[in-house]
Amino acid sequence: MTNGSWDLYRLFFVVAEAGSVNRAAAMLGMSQPTLSRRIGDLERSLGAPLFFRTPSGVRLTQEGEELFSSASAVHATFQSFQREFRGRMAARSSLLKISATEGLTRHWLIPRVPQLRRRFPGLSIHVDASVQQQSLAESDLDFVIRIGDPGELDLVGRRVGEVGFGIFAGASYLARRQPPASLRDLCDHDLVGGAVGASGFKSLRANESAFQRVWEGAVAAAGTRVHPRAAQHAAVAEGLGLSFLATPFAEAEGLIRVLPNEGIFVDLWLLRRRESDLRPLTRAVGRYLEQELAASQAWLAGRPEGTPPVTAVAAGR
């Protein structure tokens, strides 16, 4: 079989069923001369005539009859395959797979799931809340919302804002300890965190790098190591000490910021694979996510004028 021969057999089948090259060309959306030339290519490839040309159309030769009989079974099988495959494609195309950190998932993404379902009827949503950077290709993800380094170079997307980070304590801790007055006081406090602390963030400003160095030095001597960061929230809420946390998520959980003028702002990215743009629903959901992230910028950065995400969803934006 020569290259492109499957398409030639498909064209043959349409002409045979239509009984006319002109009618078949109209059905296929191609010109009559082009279709005649393609049928001629198939006849030369097989070394046999397939049609008698008549004033009223075409009629199958004996070889054409035999080919049509065989092609009918193949054509029916292919049509059945197409219907089945379209059904499977429709199921995947109505599924949104998205990965975000646990804090983003809990405090920003989950509150928007009802709104997503209302705006996009039939949409199914799979959320992977993980502190690890998920691979879009290996996990077949549609979107990843990342804080900090955007990671994979083959992803497309945009910076959609920034997330503020600061030092937080629980009410019970501050009930028995005076809050630190400066970064130098951190060494006199119980700190909750890990050896990485604020590391891993890219493109820090000079004052942010200085803050990072102080925090890293203080937390290196801390007596409590807790991973992942979501567990640090729980540890701080229990009054175990101070921790370096994302401002919007810590405040949403009722934690109290100390040293409010000290902290870091980290880029927030909405990323996807270019191939995902072939799914119309994914493109539409992507626009919705971009709009919602843009509307949430003040809240994500931890600025006072920020609007909590639940309010934004309730307002039906």
Side-chain angles (χ1 to χ4, degrees):
M1 295 176 68
T2 60
N3 290 338
S5 58
W6 170 250
D7 190 52
L8 296 180
Y9 285 109
R10 179 182 66 87
L11 299 179
F12 159 79
F13 192 86
V14 175
V15 173
E17 280 199 321
S20 163
V21 176
N22 285 335
R23 285 195 295 273
M27 293 166 59
L28 293 165
M30 59 194 306
S31 68
Q32 183 272 335
T34 298
L35 181 56
S36 294
R37 185 172 65 253
R38 301 295 301 279
I39 294 299
D41 292 340
L42 179 60
E43 290 176 319
R44 284 187 292 274
S45 174
L46 295 173
L50 300 174
F51 294 104
F52 293 117
R53 276 69 173 175
T54 69
S56 60
V58 295
R59 183 166 57 85
L60 289 168
T61 64
Q62 181 177 342
E63 295 95 333
E65 292 279 4
E66 292 176 359
L67 178 59
F68 185 77
S69 177
S70 299
S72 295
V74 175
H75 186 69
T77 300
F78 184 67
Q79 285 185 316
S80 176
F81 161 76
Q82 282 185 309
R83 287 192 295 271
E84 179 187 354
F85 187 63
R86 285 194 184 101
R88 294 202 301 267
M89 285 197 301
R92 177 58 183 92
S93 295
S94 64
L95 171 64
L96 178 73
K97 294 185 177 182
I98 184 168
S99 175
T101 65
E102 292 172 282
L104 272 167
T105 298
R106 179 178 178 183
H107 298 292
W108 189 88
L109 184 57
I110 293 299
R112 282 167 173 74
V113 169
Q115 176 77 343
L116 277 166
R117 287 177 172 165
R118 287 192 295 269
R119 292 174 67 110
F120 305 102
L123 176 68
S124 297
I125 303 174
H126 289 186
V127 178
D128 184 353
S130 173
V131 295
Q132 303 298 324
Q133 287 195 349
Q134 301 294 304
S135 167
L136 271 74
E138 293 178 6
S139 305
D140 191 24
L141 294 168
D142 294 300
F143 293 101
V144 167
I145 306 177
R146 284 188 180 156
I147 299 174
D149 182 10
E152 299 163 88
L153 297 178
D154 56 342
L155 302 183
V156 296
R158 55 181 296 189
R159 178 188 177 277
V160 289
E162 57 187 11
V163 177
F165 282 75
I167 301 174
F168 285 84
S172 61
Y173 181 85
L174 294 178
R176 66 177 188 273
R177 299 286 301 274
Q178 286 292 321
S182 68
L183 289 176
R184 291 189 298 273
D185 295 340
L186 291 177
C187 60
D188 298 324
H189 280 266
D190 298 326
L191 304 181
V192 175
V196 294
S199 66
F201 297 145
K202 307 296 183 182
S203 303
L204 296 181
R205 303 173 184 88
N207 62 315
E208 293 175 332
S209 296
F211 169 84
Q212 177 185 1
R213 287 192 297 272
V214 173
W215 174 262
E216 289 288 328
V219 82
T224 306
R225 299 284 193 272
V226 179
H227 287 290
R229 195 174 295 277
Q232 294 174 18
H233 283 247
V236 173
E238 289 296 323
L240 296 187
L242 311 179
S243 189
F244 176 77
L245 303 172
T247 300
F249 314 142
E251 290 181 342
E253 295 173 9
L255 302 181
I256 302 166
R257 187 167 184 178
V258 299
L259 300 177
N261 294 324
E262 301 288 352
I264 289 176
F265 291 96
V266 185
D267 288 342
L268 180 66
W269 298 82
L270 178 63
L271 303 167
R272 69 189 190 282
R273 292 192 67 85
R274 197 178 302 275
E275 295 86 346
S276 296
D277 290 343
L278 294 172
R279 299 184 179 118
L281 184 60
T282 304
R283 293 199 303 270
V285 171
R287 289 191 292 270
Y288 169 80
L289 294 174
E290 285 186 0
Q291 293 167 2
E292 287 296 298
L293 285 165
S296 304
Q297 282 189 16
W299 179 80
L300 288 164
R303 299 189 179 99
E305 68 271 22
T307 301
V310 174
T311 302
V313 173
R317 275 205 329 270

